[in-house]
Amino acid sequence: MLAQDITTEYRLTLPPWVRDELADVPDSIPGVDDRMRLVHRLADRNWREGNGGPFAALVAESETGRIVSVGVNVVLSSGVSSGHAEVVALGLAQTRRETWDLGGAGMPAHELVVNWRPCIQCYGAAMWSGVRTLVVAGEGPELEEITTFDEGPLGGDWADQFERRGIRVVRDVLRDEALDVFRAYRAAVDADALTVYNARQGAAGGEA
Ligand SMILES: [Zn+2]
């Protein structure tokens, strides 16, 4: 019977190596460049560990740089297609803050730091999360060109749409370092050491 058979919970869990990677990281990282540097570190290790694509994110308090959560892409390790780094980081931040609205009353201003412009899914997830700032390493076509991941049909006014909703967009923070991570990932794919996951059988690319 359906009532017995249906699943009533699913999980997006950070892999155990994340705690090791954070062992030398302080509670607060005051500089946004340094926050992005941590994101790049997590993104690079993530694909090497086999959890998912070369993507990571974190949520921080903008003013103090206090780190509230980190996220990595766990599509492969969780078996859930929505397990992108931004969704994981935002969900963990909201769980830690015990609220669905990181921009709620009495809350410090939160920012989401990601190693590229969000895909179409994470665009919405970021917009509805309550963060006041989105920090991205870059936004051009390079991500899709290098990794072959499909980011979805995001409009050219994607950043304006955030700004219109009171969410500041900060771009080009350690952009070259982001591309270095993507290129390392692509080299491993080309060497047949990895498969770019893809939910549309036969269609090119996967989802970032
Ligand atoms: Zn995404």
Side-chain angles (χ1 to χ4, degrees):
M1 296 296 287
L2 180 60
Q4 278 79 49
D5 293 343
I6 58 161
T7 302
T8 58
E9 183 181 52
Y10 74 95
R11 284 170 181 270
L12 298 176
T13 308
L14 286 178
W17 59 261
V18 169
R19 277 193 197 278
D20 300 337
E21 196 66 42
L22 298 178
D24 64 346
V25 176
D27 290 338
S28 296
I29 305 178
V32 71
D33 280 19
D34 289 332
R35 295 200 280 277
M36 185 64 81
R37 202 161 277 121
L38 173 59
V39 168
H40 287 332
R41 250 172 73 187
L42 293 168
D44 191 56
R45 183 159 176 184
N46 193 57
W47 70 263
R48 295 174 194 276
E49 296 278 358
N51 298 103
F55 306 107
L58 64 78
V59 174
E61 294 177 9
S62 292
E63 200 171 307
T64 62
R66 183 172 179 228
I67 308 300
V68 182
S69 69
V70 303
V72 293
N73 181 298
V74 293
V75 169
L76 294 178
S77 55
S78 68
V80 175
S81 65
S82 60
H84 293 190
E86 300 95 317
V87 165
V88 172
L90 290 167
L92 290 173
Q94 290 165 341
T95 300
R96 183 172 175 183
R97 292 288 196 234
E98 300 181 320
T99 175
W100 51 268
D101 184 5
L102 295 171
M107 201 66 76
H110 288 93
E111 69 181 33
L112 177 66
V113 183
V114 197
N115 64 326
W116 208 253
R117 181 196 71 181
C119 77
I120 186 87
Q121 170 195 255
C122 298
Y123 182 57
M127 200 171 273
W128 311 141
S129 67
V131 297
R132 299 291 173 84
T133 306
L134 171 67
V135 182
V136 297
E139 61 170 318
E142 292 89 342
L143 162 61
E144 292 183 315
E145 288 167 6
I146 296 171
T147 66
T148 76
F149 281 104
D150 182 356
E151 297 293 301
L154 217 53
D157 66 340
W158 70 273
D160 292 339
Q161 292 291 341
F162 276 121
E163 301 277 357
R164 254 180 248 177
R165 289 164 174 82
I167 301 166
R168 196 165 64 100
V169 178
V170 179
R171 288 174 255 211
D172 295 337
V173 176
L174 300 187
R175 189 177 196 279
D176 290 343
E177 289 84 344
L179 296 176
D180 287 344
V181 172
F182 299 152
R183 287 194 192 99
Y185 170 79
R186 175 59 182 271
V189 171
D190 287 347
D192 285 334
L194 288 169
T195 305
V196 178
Y197 53 86
N198 173 17
R200 300 182 306 279
Q201 303 293 323
E207 296 83 25

